Amino acid sequence: MTVPSSAAASREIVCADAIAWMQARGRIDGACAVTSLPDVSEIGKALPVWREWFAHAVRLVVDAVPDDSAAVFFQSDIKRDGAWIDKGALVIRAAEDAGARVLFHKIVCRRPPGMLTQGRPGFTHLIAVSRAMRCPDILPIPDVIADAGRSLWVRAMGVRAAAHAVRFARDQVGAKLIFDPFCGVGTIPAVANALGLDALGVELAKKRCEQSREQVVKSSDLDPV
C-alpha cells in the first residue's frame, strides 16, 4: 500500500516478516537503510538463537542497499541474565562479516547525561556502515546527540535523532528512498517523508502497519539545520 504523504514523497508499508521479505526482494536500487532491529524480548527466541537471528538480519539489511549506499542502525544495549549485551558491537561484527565497514558511530542520549538508569541504558548507538562509501571529511552529526526528540512509541527512536540519520542518507549518500525493514509505528518513514524522501517500510504486526501508514511528524519536531 502506497500512501502519498506530501506532494514530493510517498510511503509504502508492507505487512510481512522482514527476514523473508528481504530474502525474496533482494537489493533495492536508490535506497539507504535506516532501522532498528528487535531485541531478544521482542522476537521470543532464546538468547543464542536471537544472536544468530540478529547477525543474519544485519547482513540482510546491508545486502538490501547498493554497495555505494549505506545502512544506518539505531541499537540500544540490553541486560539479559545478569550481563549486558552490546548491540552496537553485534551490528559492527555482522556488518563487517557482510563486507561493510563503519562510516561513523555516534551516541544518542535517551536520558539526560549524568542520570542514573536501571535495566536499560540511557543511550542508543547510531552506527552507519557501507561496503564502498567513505565517511565524509565533514559530517554534520554531533558525536553525542543530546536530545533524541519526541518518541512516537516507548521503544521508538526520537524524531530528532531519526532526522540526523535521514539527512545523512539524503545529503551524504544521495539516497532517494529510505528503507526500514523493522519500521514499527513508522517513525523513520514519517521522518523520511517530512524531509522529502520516499519511504519503504516492513512490519509484521498489522496494527503497527496501520499506524506506520498514518504516522506524521511536523517540521517543528525536527531540529533545524
Side-chain angles (χ1 to χ4, degrees), residues 20-133:
W21 189 91
M22 285 189 288
Q23 289 174 326
R25 173 65 183 263
R27 188 156 295 184
I28 305 168
D29 292 339
C32 177
V34 180
T35 195
S36 177
L37 276 63
D39 66 34
V40 62
S41 65
E42 294 177 273
I43 65 170
K45 296 181 182 294
L47 185 59
V49 177
W50 170 81
R51 283 181 178 272
E52 293 182 5
W53 178 93
F54 189 94
H56 181 52
V58 170
R59 292 192 291 268
L60 285 175
V61 175
V62 172
D63 288 342
V65 299
D67 287 350
D68 59 355
S69 185
V72 185
F73 297 88
F74 286 100
Q75 298 296 161
S76 298
D77 298 341
I78 55 174
K79 188 177 183 180
R80 191 74 172 183
D81 299 330
W84 282 103
I85 298 173
D86 186 336
K87 290 203 288 183
L90 295 181
V91 165
I92 292 171
R93 188 177 306 125
E96 289 177 343
D97 288 345
R101 57 189 175 188
V102 176
L103 298 178
F104 63 76
H105 186 174
K106 310 292 186 178
I107 294 296
V108 181
C109 294
R110 300 185 70 98
R111 298 288 187 275
M115 176 181 285
L116 296 178
T117 60
Q118 297 180 352
R120 295 181 67 87
F123 66 91
T124 293
H125 303 275
L126 170 56
I127 301 170
V129 302
S130 176
R131 284 195 171 110
M133 186 180 174

